[in-house]
Each structure stands twice: as structure tokens, then as C-alpha cells.
Amino acid sequence: MRTRVVALAAATAAALSGCSMLDQASDSSDSNSQSTGSGDGAESSGPEGDPEENGAKAANIDTENPPEAIASVTLDRLNHDTVEETKVELVELRKDTNVMLATFRLTGEGRGTESTSAFDLLGNNSFRPVFVDMENMEKYRNVTDLTSSDIGVEAPLGQPVYMFTAFPLPREGVETMDLQIVSARAEIVDVPMPK
């Protein structure tokens, strides 16, 4: 167990030193603390929403050409006043140094036009996805320090928000894993692991 903790700490340090999504996330949080206007460098919001607010810029997503989903699930019965269901899509999963980097797109449906955070879209649950290797009976929890803020991204219902996170690399030979989003049961099964 101690070896796994040390390996995870090393993976976190390595990913922090070279992860472009994190560099952009800090740029995004710096710019979010300042007011944005129509001056140079301001990006217009399109059908995918404002990339500064919905997490697309921090996750390095081109909102003019959004990625296809690798895997998806629609979550309902989230016990939220306005969100009736949320479509969760895994849009990127790739190796980067000692971790797997993952980007998710969350799109809620329901009542109202208020901006809604990823936390709300998940039924007031924190964004803590977990990969489960059923063959080896192991869980791969997301690395908190390499995860975007689920209350820092928001968009009106019907428009997506983007979240990114990192996971430890799977064991050699593991080709697929199941993915838990907000419950202990697997909500997406047989997600292909990056080569």
C-alpha cells in the first residue's frame, strides 16, 4: 500500500511539471478572477457556450469543433430541484507521463435557464470518478490535485461543461475498465484504456 502511495505522489509530481491542461487551468482561474470584456483576446461564446466559464479552455477543448464521446451515460434521479438528468461523456483519455488524463463533458437537462455547475449537474455530488479493474479487483481513484473544480465551471442547462482529471496508469495488459461517476456501481462499462 505504501508503495502505491509513493508511486501516486511521484505521478502527481511528474504530471504537475508537464501537464498542459493544468497550465491552462491556472491561466483560466487567473482570468476568471478578472472581469472579461470585449477587448483583444476575448473569445465569443458559441453553441458550446463560453469556454472560460464552462471549463472548455482549461480542458483544452475547441468549442468550434468539440470532440466525439468515447463513452457516455445519462444519469437521472439525481435529487436536484432543476436538473432532471445529466449526460456524462468521456471525450478524451490519454497517457501522459505517469498518469492517464481524462476529459469529461457534462450536459444537463431540466427546468430553468440559470447557469448550473458540474457539482449541481451531478446531483450535488463532487466530481470524483473512479476506474474499476474488475479482472484484478482494483480501483483507480482520480488524482484530486489534477482535477478541475466542479463548482468553478458552469453553463445554462442544455449547454455542456467540461471537467478534466487524472488517474494512475493501469496495470500492464489491462485493456478495459469500468467507470463509476457518482455511485459505487459502474455507470459505464468496458471503457478502452489508452495504448
Side-chain angles (χ1 to χ4, degrees), residues 84-162:
E84 294 170 2
E85 64 180 31
T86 300
K87 185 174 186 179
V88 179
E89 299 170 284
L90 176 63
V91 297
E92 182 183 42
L93 184 63
R94 64 181 173 88
K95 287 184 179 180
D96 187 277
T97 314
N98 295 322
V99 294
M100 290 189 296
L101 296 176
T103 305
F104 292 82
R105 177 171 51 223
L106 285 66
T107 309
E109 297 296 336
R111 299 178 301 280
T113 58
E114 293 291 316
S115 285
T116 307
S117 70
F119 180 79
D120 292 330
L121 292 175
L122 295 172
N124 296 334
N125 289 297
S126 294
F127 179 71
R128 293 187 182 133
V130 176
F131 272 113
V132 181
D133 176 0
M134 294 301 290
E135 187 176 328
N136 296 301
M137 298 305 293
E138 290 182 321
K139 288 189 173 188
Y140 293 77
R141 300 186 188 283
N142 74 308
V143 182
T144 307
D145 292 345
L146 302 177
T147 302
S148 54
S149 169
D150 50 23
I151 58 172
V153 295
E154 57 182 30
L157 290 176
Q159 293 186 13
V161 297
Y162 289 90

Side-chain angles (χ1 to χ4, degrees), residues 4 130-140 170-180 183-193:
R4 189 175 192 108
V130 176
F131 272 113
V132 181
D133 176 0
M134 294 301 290
E135 187 176 328
N136 296 301
M137 298 305 293
E138 290 182 321
K139 288 189 173 188
Y140 293 77
R171 282 180 186 244
E172 190 75 28
V174 174
E175 295 184 358
T176 64
M177 283 202 262
D178 296 347
L179 183 58
Q180 300 170 342
S183 74
R185 63 179 169 78
E187 283 133 336
I188 303 176
V189 297
D190 295 332
V191 177
M193 293 294 102

